[in-house]
Amino acid sequence: MADTDVLIVGAGPTGLVLALWLAKLGVSVRILDKTDKPGTTSRALAVHARTLELYHQLDLAETVIQNGHKVPAVNLWVKGNREARVDFSDVGEGMTPYPFLHIFPQDEHEKLLIARLEALAIKVERRTELTGFLDSGDFITATIHGPNGKESLKCSYLAGCDGARSKTREITGIGFPGGTYQQVFYVADVEASGPPVDGELHVDLDEADFLALFPLKGQGRARLIGTVRDERAEHAESLKFEDVSDRAIHNLKVKVDQVNWFSTYRVHHRVANHFRKGRAFLLGDAAHIHSPAGGQGMNTGIGDAINLAWKLCWVLSGRAPDVLLDSYEQERIAFARKLVATTDRGFSFVSAEGPMADFIRTKVFPVVLPAAAHFQAFREFLFRTVSQIRINYRNDALSAGKVRAVEGGDRMPWLKDGANYKPLANMAWQAHVFGGAEPAIARWCDQRGVPLNVFAWDVKARAAGLQENALYLTRPDSYIAMAEPAPSPAVLDQYFAARGITP
């Protein structure tokens, strides 16, 4: 008998969301972290639309929105002048219930997740770390050290959410190839004043320095992210805010009144060779690290957690074979590799040096971006990419079928009235039909406890790329498992039988 179903190592957003999802699904967990308290600095900021959609299943989305800040626009500055303002207040209109850029600092994010876990009688075990584990094939025996000394415990699975220096990854021996960029960045949470402290995002594209000012909720609160380009980069670890170049800060006309937190860092780009070894898994920064361009890091880790959580639940409850867990790596590692390549290009743009790079950044980009933003196709592409609603698992083991533009593995399209997203709050396999469902389909769903949701066939459904009377089978994480134009009980039985899953 295992002491717990899943041992989670690391209590950042990835580990906390994994624990919360598993607990909601009735899986027993223990979650530990070597720190003595939650983080008090707002490292990650952005919470993207796809994360908010998935948070709807945890009844978290509205709380995150109420306590965060919607960013209405992005402003581009060059040599002390505001050259362009791009309105992003409704950039994702019609694509998602959350069509905006949203900031909710990581420290506040963690507090919210911890409070929700504690409401379920689950507490993070602080000052406790994993020191070793043995995978016997049937279970894992882990050794942990905490305030009360050494403890040995058995768990069915172990989830390494323990960051870039993951002990879990070290013990498994999984490689972590990649590298580190030469450039040094600084980050500072400040109280400030000036024209850019207006609730919008401001970016200075200076020839010598790069600086971005992100608004935080509250009067005069902001985060600065800038480059350390000169000889001071050689001593980045000992730098203070007063030591970094203030050229870009002056260009933005920002007056910093107080620095609440300051740190320097180098940007890494790595993806683990595998996200699973036996009964151990890697998630979040333990599995992949990359440039902060686009604010993808925390959201990707949360996506890892939700992808793995329902699969662990189905395997632990005997409703699916262990091989289902292989799909976690298959689905998430492909996205991680693509993400690293994409953010690498963004990072290279803001950090490149030389006359040509300066010309493109200061002369071309401030003209091209606002012009391109006038085109709906560009705005839609940009939002879909950054918000992660483009993520799909097409052609993977759990995905089947295609109806018009919608394929198995896609995120379920959102209809403008939002009616089809309300049932997705239920963490279960579901069938969605737009138009009418055959009685045989209704009987099949009723006999197997699969909710059948029938929606009106109208112009909204057609515009979303759906087809009348087709069946869309959704997974517990709300992605489409199968899109079937001519649904029948036999087709549904075949889907589940081929994968050994009981819905």
Side-chain angles (χ1 to χ4, degrees), residues 12 82 232:
R82 189 186 324 217
R232 283 170 286 195

Side-chain angles (χ1 to χ4, degrees), residues 287-303:
H288 44 77
I289 51 175
H290 42 80
S291 160
Q296 301 294 302
M298 180 179 67
N299 293 272
T300 305
I302 291 170

Side-chain angles (χ1 to χ4, degrees), residues 136-160:
S136 65
D138 295 324
F139 55 84
I140 280 179
T141 303
T143 303
I144 62 176
H145 279 253
N148 298 321
K150 186 168 88 171
E151 178 186 354
S152 179
L153 64 91
K154 290 182 179 180
C155 58
S156 297
Y157 295 97
L158 187 148

Side-chain angles (χ1 to χ4, degrees), residues 24 106 139 145 151 162 174 189 345 382 417 427 445:
K24 288 278 190 178
Q106 182 175 335
F139 55 84
H145 279 253
E151 178 186 354
D162 43 351
I174 295 174
D189 280 358
R345 290 192 291 271
L382 184 63
D417 63 2
M427 302 174 186
C445 290

Side-chain angles (χ1 to χ4, degrees), residues 388-434:
Q388 299 198 348
I389 65 174
R390 285 186 69 197
I391 294 176
N392 68 76
Y393 306 129
R394 292 180 177 182
N395 303 314
D396 289 335
L398 297 182
S399 304
K402 179 179 180 179
V403 182
R404 294 183 64 195
V406 178
E407 298 186 32
D410 287 353
R411 157 191 172 267
M412 171 62 79
W414 180 73
L415 271 59
K416 288 187 178 181
D417 63 2
N420 69 317
Y421 261 51
K422 292 178 182 177
L424 294 177
N426 182 15
M427 302 174 186
W429 291 88
Q430 301 182 32
H432 288 226
V433 175
F434 298 83

